[in-house]
């Protein structure tokens, strides 16, 4: 059986008339009749009972009509699905996200992707550090990453998204919490909880503190921003976390801007040389969704 023959048969079976089926198929009636007869010969059974006025289906024809409709629908859907995947409008994309971007950035991306690319399924891995994201990209465990440069790998392509500044998280009863803003030097002598020392944010934080004359005393490390804020709320220490625009704070903590805060970049990364249309469409989608409407991008 050929797909073409099934389409011919379905048209005749639904129209119950060879002439009307031929018009529907934009073909002459004799070739249509020949194709149906050939199909019956291939199957070794009669599918249609022909009269001068109409066509009736045999029990075998009724079965073939039901099954052929399902097969043709599946084939049509397959063609559409393959086309969408080829265009990068459908498929599964594995996305790794660093720290606070998990909370303030990805919800907007997921919502935008749902509207613009409804066939795209995102598998999001949040609260990861840049070194872990680099490794996951190199080992093909994720397709794209939202991370904080610099990166060590030369096998990745980067696209700058935006820039954050570090803010200080303090317990709400801390003496410095009454200040509207602070400077890094105000934190001299404080205990800190921090991202691991291998992280980009920790490196930037340490360098900035040294420039103003002190070495921060880190008493606890954690990879997740939510965990750091929980440590702050418990009174374990202060934390510097990257936050802009949509800032969140855990109960028991306050966030204060630092007037001399260092900047930390946010970038999109993927494997160099990738020709995936799915990744390209996601990069385009991400660029138009990172900054809310009416908000200027920080440079």
């Amino acid at each position: 059986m050929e797909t073409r023959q099934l389409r011919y048969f379905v048209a005749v079976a639904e129209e119950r008339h060879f002439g009307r089926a031929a018009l529907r198929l934009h073909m002459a009636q004799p070739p249509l009749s020949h194709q149906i007869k050939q199909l019956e010969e291939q199957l070794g059974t009669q599918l249609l009972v022909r009269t001068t006025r109409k066509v009736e289906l045999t029990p075998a024809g009724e079965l073939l009509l039901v099954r052929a409709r399902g097969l043709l629908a599946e084939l049509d859907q397959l063609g559409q699905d393959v086309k969408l995947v080829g265009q990068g409008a459908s498929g599964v994309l594995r996305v790794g996200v660093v720290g606070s971007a998990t909370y303030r950035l990805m919800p907007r991306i997921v919502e935008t992707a749902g509207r613009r690319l409804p066939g795209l399924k995102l598998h999001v891995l949040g609260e990861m550090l840049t070194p872990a994201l680099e490794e996951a990209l190199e080992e093909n465990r994720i397709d794209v990453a939202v991370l904080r440069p610099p990166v060590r790998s030369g096998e990745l392509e980067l696209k700058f998204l935006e820039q954050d500044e570090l803010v200080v998280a303090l317990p709400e009863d801390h003496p410095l919490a009454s200040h509207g803003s602070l400077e890094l030097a105000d934190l001299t002598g404080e205990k800190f909880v921090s991202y691991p020392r291998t992280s980009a944010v920790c490196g930037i934080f340490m360098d900035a503190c040294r420039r103003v004359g002190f070495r921060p005393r880190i008493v606890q490390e954690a990879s997740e921003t939510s965990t750091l804020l929980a440590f702050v709320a418990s009174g374990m220490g202060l934390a510097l976390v990257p936050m802009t625009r949509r800032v969140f704070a855990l109960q028991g903590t306050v966030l204060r801007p630092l007037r001399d805060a260092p900047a930390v970049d946010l970038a999109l990364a993927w494997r160099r040389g990738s020709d995936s249309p799915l990744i390209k469409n996601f990069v385009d989608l991400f660029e138009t969704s990172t900054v809310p409407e009416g908000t200027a991008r920080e440079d």
Side-chain angles (χ1 to χ4, degrees), residues 42-56:
Q42 290 173 357
L43 295 174
T45 188
Q46 186 177 2
L47 302 172
L48 305 171
V49 177
R50 304 156 177 82
T51 68
T52 54
R53 294 186 177 180
K54 61 180 180 178
V55 172
E56 296 291 346

Side-chain angles (χ1 to χ4, degrees), residues 120-141:
L120 175 64
K121 306 299 181 186
L122 296 179
H123 181 202
V124 180
L125 302 173
E127 291 274 22
M128 297 179 69
L129 296 175
T130 292
L133 289 168
E134 284 188 70
E135 185 177 318
L137 282 171
E138 291 172 337
E139 295 178 359
N140 197 28
R141 289 185 280 114

Side-chain angles (χ1 to χ4, degrees), residues 242-265:
M243 301 281 181
T244 57
R245 301 187 184 106
R246 296 204 315 178
V247 176
F248 72 92
L250 200 68
Q251 184 175 359
T253 69
V254 295
L255 299 173
R256 294 291 180 260
L258 291 165
R259 292 189 292 275
D260 55 349
V264 288
D265 290 338

Side-chain angles (χ1 to χ4, degrees), residues 143-182:
D143 302 303
V144 292
V146 182
L147 48 70
R148 296 195 183 280
V151 297
R152 57 170 178 75
S153 175
E155 299 302 314
L156 303 181
E157 292 193 44
L158 294 181
K159 183 176 287 292
F160 173 83
L161 296 175
E162 57 188 36
Q163 200 170 65
D164 293 345
E165 287 184 349
L166 294 179
V167 299
V168 59
L170 311 98
E172 60 184 2
D173 59 355
H174 192 283
L176 293 176
S178 61
H179 295 242
S181 64
L182 298 165

Side-chain angles (χ1 to χ4, degrees), residues 14-36:
E14 290 180 344
E15 297 293 341
R16 294 295 202 271
H17 192 278
F18 274 90
R20 290 195 297 271
L23 288 173
R24 171 174 155 181
L25 294 166
H26 306 289
M27 65 185 297
Q29 184 173 331
L32 176 60
S33 298
H34 175 72
Q35 287 294 326
I36 298 300

Side-chain angles (χ1 to χ4, degrees), residues 18-283:
F18 274 90
R20 290 195 297 271
L23 288 173
R24 171 174 155 181
L25 294 166
H26 306 289
M27 65 185 297
Q29 184 173 331
L32 176 60
S33 298
H34 175 72
Q35 287 294 326
I36 298 300
K37 182 175 178 57
Q38 191 175 61
L39 178 61
E40 288 178 319
E41 290 174 353
Q42 290 173 357
L43 295 174
T45 188
Q46 186 177 2
L47 302 172
L48 305 171
V49 177
R50 304 156 177 82
T51 68
T52 54
R53 294 186 177 180
K54 61 180 180 178
V55 172
E56 296 291 346
L57 295 175
T58 66
E62 293 281 3
L63 173 62
L64 182 59
L65 176 61
V66 172
R67 299 285 288 275
R69 281 171 169 163
L71 287 170
L72 293 173
E74 285 286 336
L75 283 172
D76 290 341
Q77 186 61 52
L78 175 61
Q80 294 175 26
D81 291 347
V82 169
K83 182 178 180 181
L84 287 173
V85 170
Q87 294 173 340
S90 181
V92 177
L93 197 70
R94 302 164 298 171
V95 184
V97 188
V98 70
S100 59
T102 304
Y103 304 100
R104 67 179 183 81
L105 202 59
M106 285 312 298
R108 188 161 67 249
I109 294 300
V110 171
E111 188 274 333
T112 303
R115 285 189 289 105
R116 298 188 191 175
L117 299 170
L120 175 64
K121 306 299 181 186
L122 296 179
H123 181 202
V124 180
L125 302 173
E127 291 274 22
M128 297 179 69
L129 296 175
T130 292
L133 289 168
E134 284 188 70
E135 185 177 318
L137 282 171
E138 291 172 337
E139 295 178 359
N140 197 28
R141 289 185 280 114
I142 59 175
D143 302 303
V144 292
V146 182
L147 48 70
R148 296 195 183 280
V151 297
R152 57 170 178 75
S153 175
E155 299 302 314
L156 303 181
E157 292 193 44
L158 294 181
K159 183 176 287 292
F160 173 83
L161 296 175
E162 57 188 36
Q163 200 170 65
D164 293 345
E165 287 184 349
L166 294 179
V167 299
V168 59
L170 311 98
E172 60 184 2
D173 59 355
H174 192 283
L176 293 176
S178 61
H179 295 242
S181 64
L182 298 165
E183 293 186 354
L184 278 169
D186 297 329
L187 310 181
T188 303
E190 296 286 346
K191 294 184 296 183
F192 290 90
V193 294
S194 171
Y195 298 105
R197 295 172 194 269
T198 55
S199 73
V201 173
C202 183
I204 292 169
F205 156 53
M206 297 282 286
D207 289 342
C209 290
R210 290 191 193 101
R211 283 196 296 271
V212 298
F214 76 96
R215 182 184 181 88
R217 182 159 58 102
I218 297 174
V219 297
Q220 181 65 50
E221 296 181 1
S223 300
E224 302 84 10
T225 302
S226 56
T227 303
L228 285 181
L229 294 179
F231 288 157
V232 172
S234 72
M236 188 178 293
L238 312 187
L240 266 67
V241 293
M243 301 281 181
T244 57
R245 301 187 184 106
R246 296 204 315 178
V247 176
F248 72 92
L250 200 68
Q251 184 175 359
T253 69
V254 295
L255 299 173
R256 294 291 180 260
L258 291 165
R259 292 189 292 275
D260 55 349
V264 288
D265 290 338
L266 194 65
L268 195 64
W270 62 96
R271 287 181 296 281
R272 187 177 301 281
S274 171
D275 58 357
S276 166
L278 198 62
I279 292 177
K280 179 184 182 304
N281 283 350
F282 185 73
V283 171

